[in-house]
Amino acid sequence: MSEHQDHPEQTTNPEKTTNPEGAESPEELTHLRTGHIKTKAVGLPAVISSFRHVFSEAGIIRSLKALSKVNQKGGFDCPSCAWPDPDDERSGLAEYCENGAKAVAEEITTKKLTPNFFAGNSVAALSELSDYSLGEQGRIAQPMFLPKGATHYQPISWDEAFTHIATTLNSLTSPDEAIFYTSGRTSNEAAFLYQLFARAFGTNNLPDCSNMCHESSGVALTETLGLGKGSVTLEDLHQAEVIIIMGQNPGTNAPRMLTALEKAKKNGARIISVNPLPETGLMAFRNPQQVGGILGNATPLTDLFLQIKINGDMALLQAIELMLWLDEEQAPGTVFDHTFIRQHTEGYDAFIKHLGRSSLPELSEACGIDIRQIGEAATMLKDKKKIIICWAMGLTQHKNAVDTIKEVVNLLLLKGSIGKPGAGTCPVRGHSNVQGDRTVGIWERPTKKFLDSIQQTFGFDPPRKHGFDVVNAIKAMHGGSGKVFFAMGGNFLSATPDTTYTAEALRRCRLTVHVSTKLNRSHLVHGEEAIILPCLARSDKDPLNGEDQFVTCENSMGVVQSSKGMLQPVSPHLLSEPVIVCRLAKATLGNHHFIDWDKYLRHYDAIRDDIEKTIPGFEGYNKRVRQPGGFYLPNAPRQGAFTTPSEKAQFSIVHAETTPLAPGELMMMTIRSHDQFNTTIYGMNDRYRGIYNERRVVFLNEEDMREQDLQKGDVVDLSSNYDGVKRTAHRFLVVPYPIPKTCAAAYYPETNVLVPIDSVADKSNTPVSKLVIIRVVKQSSF
């Protein structure tokens, strides 16, 4: 039995006053309609979907005004994904994708939640709504407070809210009893002030959404190359000879990436896609900015699709490397870049010795790809040097995620494919400033160099003890040592693993606070007291002392650029995130520190000036960020330099393993639908996969279905049993799908309840959401 001994069974329906997942009756499940899996992505359907969402939320004039400025120079940064904008000319028609338009629609909506809404809807009643319905209610229009024992949120003034939070924080026995979480939406300016406030308060408890997504990438890339970021630029993708896309679905999660892949294809690149599911966006792309794309003409993207078993990535990479090595042995110096290896790397001989002991048949069995297809991949790479490997959550959310990404680096090092045009690493970040937040100090494990810089700039010695990441923050709250939870954006409950356990953790807090634009599940599963602080969105005007301010964001490829809203906010009672942090800091810290919070309240240039003083790479920040398109941060691997202790890139020796399954067990990965961005649900359809009107579905291999006597449309429960704790997600509909045998897939956050809090990646501590061992238990049919 695990540490959850007092909760031997966890389900999606705990007997609580508020349901952590929302209710759904069995009758509602019968609305499912399935269709054919689409073979081409985007095109006219995406355009229609985009405009339908935006116009329905904000009307034509407000919508067009916003869309005309999304991702444009001088406009505002899309609140959706972190895909980079072109350095040169940007499309005057539309520099956004379908999901970007949906994200904009969410925040520019004219619907708003006033005190009357909260007076008429109890927390318990709201908790029975689906995530989709919660998001549909509108923007939160004023600060709201839920006193201890109350059933309804009630209005509170900003001054009262800051005073209440400050009083609670200052009553803690230790600053480490407070937890300050950050979502990737937070701007550089707000994130820098937020971490400064937390450290001035006395804690490094700064978990963020990186802990749940690309933390594994950061660890692996830092240990092997010296920098926890990708090395490529958008132009590199255009110049690549081969692009390998692993564990990623760009058609849904980063649709603008398809334009870059199309350009690469037209320049002669070949694309290898590696994924357990066939994803429409990687098969063919109908460019909506071209007449042919609107008419249905598509550019084929994937040249070779390798449909691996779940977590077969490392075995596949090693199999490819083994075949390349065998070719190198036959013709020395023709396959591997020995000049690069000799001058820029360490560990090659030990790596080759390890690789030589591998068995190609065993690796083929482990990844689920036959040797012939592995050979095709090796042949495509054999004579090429301009190779880029892209990846996302399909690699980062496994127990061996760090080692798998190190294997990605091994392959690139063998080919000398880092630090040259058209080659390198490309971890595709999910949220639009998640990388920037880490750059400016949102990290529970800050370096000594960073903390020393804080001390030098601001005159106080910040705490040196490492803080809680997301998983450890949840455990601290559950165990009673985390008493105040403050979230700068995001939907913490729905984004995190082990929903029932996390809900229990939040409920054990003395106070939970959320800086938010819209209502979400985390407002309804709360501590003894709860406060919602409504903030401005990216598209909102942000006037300060008579001048509209702008903030800055960093995209996946290290470009820092400005973001300036231009719409009138839906309520006069909203504050920007930087202002919220400054006013909270003043209320909490008083005169305990010599940080001049008032100067930041006069103009955001003052924030950027202090970022420049504190963090290398931001020299001339205020001047350079005002240049159209912004500026690139330093990236040593991009230049062929490696800031490891030896100043050389590191080969790694890692071991491919398989997951043992008992009869009836399956490996399940959590996935997004097309009508979804992270935890935000835009609708009930997943049109590329042929799913309509329903989210509680589980995709199964047809042979597995026959073995377990399951039919399409059967209602089933999904259960996992980890370290003696049984977790159950109720009422899912079976959908047959082309997925490898013994593999399954289902949407999150509905299946987060199955992800154990103790199942984490080695080194990064990222929840293992892409490999949950489950059983499927049949309930009924219709």
Side-chain angles (χ1 to χ4, degrees):
M1 188 68 69
S2 77
E3 67 173 349
H4 313 152
Q5 202 160 5
D6 56 332
H7 300 284
E9 181 167 359
Q10 300 180 7
T11 75
T12 56
N13 298 308
E15 294 181 3
K16 297 285 186 180
T17 56
T18 53
N19 188 344
E21 291 194 82
E24 180 152 10
S25 69
E27 290 76 18
E28 289 174 313
L29 292 176
T30 63
H31 294 163
L32 172 67
R33 178 172 64 86
T34 60
H36 295 295
I37 301 171
K38 302 295 186 292
T39 59
K40 302 173 184 177
V42 197
L44 187 59
V47 176
I48 294 172
S49 175
S50 299
F51 286 124
R52 184 178 70 247
H53 274 84
V54 180
F55 292 166
S56 67
E57 291 291 341
I60 295 177
I61 296 176
R62 183 174 170 90
S63 298
L64 292 178
K65 185 177 181 180
L67 292 176
S68 70
K69 294 294 184 179
V70 182
N71 294 325
Q72 297 292 345
K73 296 175 181 178
F76 66 93
D77 201 46
C78 178
S80 186
C81 80
W83 190 252
D85 307 311
D87 289 337
D88 45 21
E89 290 300 316
R90 301 184 185 177
S91 170
L93 180 61
E95 194 57 66
Y96 54 87
C97 66
E98 177 186 355
N99 269 4
K102 292 174 182 176
V104 170
E106 285 277 305
E107 70 174 45
I108 70 170
T109 181
T110 54
K111 295 181 291 188
K112 57 185 178 181
L113 307 185
T114 65
N116 288 338
F117 171 85
F118 289 98
N121 293 275
S122 69
V123 172
L126 290 171
S127 74
E128 292 303 314
L129 297 178
S130 68
D131 292 313
Y132 171 61
S133 296
L134 286 174
E136 283 289 287
Q137 301 306 310
R139 291 281 297 274
I140 302 167
Q142 65 290 303
M144 302 300 299
F145 174 50
L146 185 69
K148 183 177 181 179
T151 59
H152 293 67
Y153 274 98
Q154 59 193 41
I156 185 173
S157 72
W158 279 104
D159 284 342
E160 290 171 331
F162 291 132
T163 298
H164 192 87
I165 298 167
T167 300
T168 306
L169 286 172
N170 286 325
S171 71
L172 297 175
T173 303
S174 164
D176 288 330
E177 292 179 339
I179 294 164
F180 298 96
Y181 173 76
T182 311
S183 160
R185 184 202 67 201
T186 309
S187 68
N188 287 337
E189 290 76 6
F192 181 76
L193 294 180
Y194 191 50
Q195 64 82 30
L196 184 63
F197 163 61
R199 292 185 167 113
F201 180 67
T203 186
N204 282 315
N205 287 344
L206 285 158
D208 73 324
C209 54
S210 283
N211 298 150
M212 295 180 284
C213 56
H214 272 288
E215 196 69 52
S216 299
S217 301
V219 172
L221 294 174
T222 298
E223 292 186 0
T224 56
L225 304 178
L227 181 68
K229 302 180 181 182
S231 67
V232 302
T233 67
L234 196 57
E235 184 59 31
D236 287 325
L237 277 166
H238 301 159
Q239 297 180 27
E241 296 173 310
V242 180
I243 301 171
I244 305 176
I245 302 170
M246 307 185 72
Q248 187 199 359
N249 176 18
T252 289
N253 301 337
R256 287 198 300 153
M257 181 178 175
L258 301 183
T259 303
L261 296 178
E262 179 188 47
K263 189 167 183 178
K265 287 290 292 186
K266 291 181 177 179
N267 290 340
R270 304 192 72 190
I271 296 176
I272 301 171
S273 297
V274 181
N275 206 52
L277 293 176
E279 299 292 12
T280 302
L282 287 171
M283 298 303 118
F285 172 50
R286 295 175 295 188
N287 192 328
Q289 305 230 15
Q290 298 175 0
V291 174
I294 292 294
L295 295 177
N297 298 329
T299 300
L301 295 180
T302 293
D303 296 283
L304 177 63
F305 174 44
L306 301 177
Q307 190 172 15
I308 59 166
K309 297 176 184 177
I310 289 176
N311 200 29
D313 309 86
M314 184 192 295
L316 173 64
L317 289 165
Q318 291 183 350
I320 292 171
E321 290 164 348
L322 182 56
M323 297 193 83
L324 290 172
W325 176 65
L326 293 173
D327 286 339
E328 171 70 16
E329 288 289 283
Q330 292 296 316
T334 63
V335 180
F336 293 169
D337 188 337
H338 285 284
T339 300
F340 175 87
I341 292 169
R342 184 172 57 256
Q343 293 179 352
H344 298 290
T345 75
E346 282 185 335
Y348 171 76
D349 291 338
F351 169 76
I352 290 298
K353 185 177 180 180
H354 162 71
L355 187 64
R357 291 195 293 263
S358 303
S359 162
L360 189 56
E362 289 179 3
L363 292 172
S364 172
E365 173 64 23
C367 69
I369 304 298
D370 64 58
I371 293 176
R372 179 189 58 80
Q373 278 194 301
I374 296 171
E376 287 183 47
T379 299
M380 290 171 65
L381 296 169
K382 180 179 176 180
D383 299 322
K384 302 296 187 292
K385 300 295 183 185
K386 294 183 177 182
I387 301 166
I388 291 175
I389 303 182
C390 307
W391 70 90
M393 304 304 96
L395 262 61
T396 67
Q397 293 179 334
H398 287 283
K399 188 176 189 304
N400 61 347
V402 171
D403 283 349
T404 297
I405 296 163
K406 286 184 176 181
E407 200 67 73
V408 167
V409 173
N410 284 341
L411 177 54
L412 293 172
L413 293 180
L414 289 173
K415 298 296 297 177
S417 297
I418 296 179
K420 63 180 60 173
T425 57
C426 184
V428 180
R429 304 278 179 172
H431 216 157
S432 61
N433 198 44
V434 62
Q435 185 163 297
D437 290 345
R438 179 60 58 86
T439 299
V440 299
I442 299 293
W443 195 21
E444 76 283 353
R445 294 181 289 117
T447 64
K448 180 180 183 299
K449 182 178 179 181
F450 177 81
L451 294 178
D452 288 345
S453 186
I454 289 285
Q455 183 175 15
Q456 181 177 352
T457 303
F458 296 100
F460 74 94
D461 188 13
R464 302 286 168 157
K465 183 179 72 172
H466 287 172
F468 298 137
D469 60 12
V470 163
V471 168
N472 288 325
I474 295 169
K475 289 182 177 181
M477 291 186 285
H478 198 276
S481 60
K483 293 182 170 60
V484 173
F485 177 79
F486 191 109
M488 183 62 69
N491 181 358
F492 187 79
L493 176 68
S494 295
T496 48
D498 217 339
T499 308
T500 304
Y501 181 86
T502 301
E504 291 171 352
L506 289 167
R507 288 180 176 123
R508 294 179 184 184
C509 288
R510 187 181 303 172
L511 173 67
T512 49
V513 183
H514 294 272
V515 178
S516 304
T517 56
K518 301 188 77 176
L519 195 63
N520 66 51
R521 186 71 52 200
S522 297
H523 303 140
L524 310 175
V525 177
H526 51 78
E528 292 180 0
E529 295 182 315
I531 293 177
I532 305 173
L533 303 178
C535 66
L536 295 173
R538 291 266 177 88
S539 55
D540 289 330
K541 285 184 178 180
D542 183 7
L544 206 60
N545 296 318
E547 181 180 346
D548 286 342
Q549 304 292 305
F550 69 86
V551 293
T552 60
C553 301
E554 178 187 345
N555 64 35
S556 268
M557 295 178 182
V559 177
V560 177
Q561 58 189 359
S562 66
S563 176
K564 188 174 185 178
M566 23 59 67
L567 294 181
Q568 191 65 32
V570 296
S571 167
H573 305 299
L574 308 181
L575 295 179
S576 72
E577 290 175 328
V579 169
I580 289 172
V581 175
C582 288
R583 291 182 61 178
L584 177 60
K586 291 179 65 177
T588 305
L589 302 176
N591 297 320
H592 295 170
H593 291 277
F594 297 104
I595 300 169
D596 186 357
W597 300 101
D598 286 323
K599 73 177 181 180
Y600 304 139
L601 289 170
R602 290 191 288 270
H603 202 288
Y604 294 171
D605 276 359
I607 309 173
R608 289 184 283 272
D609 284 341
D610 282 351
I611 292 175
E612 178 181 342
K613 294 174 186 176
T614 309
I615 302 172
F618 285 90
E619 294 77 12
Y621 195 176
N622 272 310
K623 180 179 179 180
R624 290 198 292 161
V625 82
R626 284 177 164 84
Q627 298 170 352
F631 62 93
Y632 280 90
L633 289 171
N635 189 303
R638 184 176 294 161
Q639 308 303 322
F642 306 102
T643 53
T644 61
S646 66
E647 298 186 347
K648 290 192 174 184
Q650 302 295 305
F651 278 97
S652 305
I653 296 176
V654 297
H655 301 274
E657 299 176 354
T658 56
T659 302
L661 296 173
E665 289 184 335
L666 303 173
M667 296 181 290
M668 184 200 76
M669 62 180 188
T670 65
I671 59 174
R672 293 188 201 171
S673 78
H674 192 64
D675 271 358
Q676 177 179 358
F677 176 72
N678 292 344
T679 60
T680 303
I681 312 301
Y682 301 132
M684 302 300 289
N685 299 332
D686 190 1
R687 72 171 185 272
Y688 288 160
R689 297 189 180 109
I691 301 297
Y692 301 91
N693 306 324
E694 186 52 68
R695 289 183 51 82
R696 299 186 77 86
V697 300
V698 56
F699 299 103
L700 297 177
N701 175 280
E702 291 193 72
E703 188 175 342
D704 289 328
M705 289 173 57
R706 287 192 294 271
E707 290 178 359
Q708 299 198 33
D709 192 28
L710 296 171
Q711 303 293 323
K712 177 182 178 181
D714 281 349
V715 180
V716 298
D717 290 345
L718 310 178
S719 68
S720 68
N721 195 319
Y722 186 89
D723 279 354
V725 179
K726 183 180 180 182
R727 297 165 173 84
T728 303
H730 295 285
R731 301 191 310 275
F732 282 72
L733 294 172
V734 171
V735 174
Y737 208 77
I739 188 171
K741 193 174 187 313
T742 70
C743 297
Y747 302 128
Y748 74 84
E750 289 83 352
T751 51
N752 284 357
V753 70
L754 299 172
V755 182
I757 189 69
D758 293 317
S759 178
V760 295
D762 297 333
K763 290 192 174 183
S764 70
N765 214 35
T766 295
V768 178
S769 298
K770 290 295 186 282
L771 200 166
V772 182
I773 297 177
I774 66 165
R775 290 185 180 273
V776 179
V777 182
K778 185 176 179 179
Q779 295 298 302
S780 61
S781 302
F782 65 87

